[in-house]
């Protein structure tokens, strides 16, 4: 049985995944981190957690938080981030600008890429830097 919680793909297999595919996976990784962060910080009531989650996973907030980690990225991570930012998205939510949505997509693509590489410690390091007040 495949352990999808700990799946690691080869670099060539990851390169074969589109930026949108990486962002799709990274969106789930990021949301799981946010939900865990909120539970660990006492926001475990249903309504409060939902509101706080929505606030942190929306494209404008993701774009803002992504700015905090850009100086920390390696050259390879920066290339993945740029690849995600340049993904051809066809629709942008009305609550975000195109630039914010592209930045959020880039962040999600980076998290998806790191997840598939098995770089969970690096994801955690970047997420901590994003959430510092």
């Amino acid at each position: 049985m495949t352990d999808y919680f700990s799946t690691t793909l080869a670099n060539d297999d990851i390169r074969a995944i589109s930026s949108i595919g990486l962002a799709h996976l990274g969106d789930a990784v990021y949301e799981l981190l946010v939900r865990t962060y909120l539970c660990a910080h006492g926001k475990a009531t249903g309504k409060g957690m939902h509101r706080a989650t929505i606030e942190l996973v929306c494209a404008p907030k993701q774009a803002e938080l992504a700015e905090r980690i850009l100086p920390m990225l390696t050259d390879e991570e920066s290339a993945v981030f740029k690849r995600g930012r340049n993904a051809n998205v066809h629709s942008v939510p009305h609550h975000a600008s195109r630039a914010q949505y592209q930045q959020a997509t880039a962040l999600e693509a980076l998290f998806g890429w790191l997840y598939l590489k098995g770089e969970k410690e690096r994801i955690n390091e970047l997420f901590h830097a994003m959430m510092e007040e």
Side-chain angles (χ1 to χ4, degrees):
M1 181 169 80
T2 302
D3 178 4
Y4 289 108
F5 276 115
S6 301
T7 297
T8 302
L9 298 181
N11 287 336
D12 287 342
D13 293 334
I14 297 171
R15 271 192 290 278
I17 300 171
S18 71
S19 298
I20 298 298
L22 291 175
H24 177 73
L25 177 59
D27 176 58
V29 171
Y30 179 75
E31 184 156 346
L32 181 59
L33 289 166
V34 166
R35 288 174 181 240
T36 304
Y37 172 85
L38 292 172
C39 284
H41 287 86
K43 298 223 191 267
T45 64
K47 193 172 187 179
M49 185 186 304
H50 180 72
R51 283 189 183 141
T53 300
I54 296 300
E55 182 180 313
L56 289 170
V57 300
C58 70
K61 188 64 172 183
Q62 282 183 319
E64 175 191 327
L65 295 175
E67 290 296 321
R68 295 182 184 182
I69 64 167
L70 290 180
M72 298 173 60
L73 300 183
T74 66
D75 290 342
E76 191 175 22
E77 291 167 349
S78 290
V80 171
F81 189 90
K82 288 174 186 172
R83 180 179 158 210
R85 188 182 61 213
N86 295 332
N88 190 12
V89 294
H90 297 291
S91 62
V92 176
H94 66 275
H95 64 276
S97 70
R98 177 166 288 279
Q100 289 170 326
Y101 194 66
Q102 288 172 314
Q103 197 81 338
T105 301
L107 176 67
E108 292 169 351
L110 175 62
F111 275 32
W113 179 79
L114 287 168
Y115 178 80
L116 289 174
K117 288 180 67 70
E119 298 284 342
K120 293 173 186 74
E121 283 185 40
R122 181 62 172 154
I123 294 169
N124 200 42
E125 178 183 353
L126 294 173
F127 185 75
H128 275 280
M130 290 169 58
M131 301 311 287
E132 286 179 354
E133 292 296 322

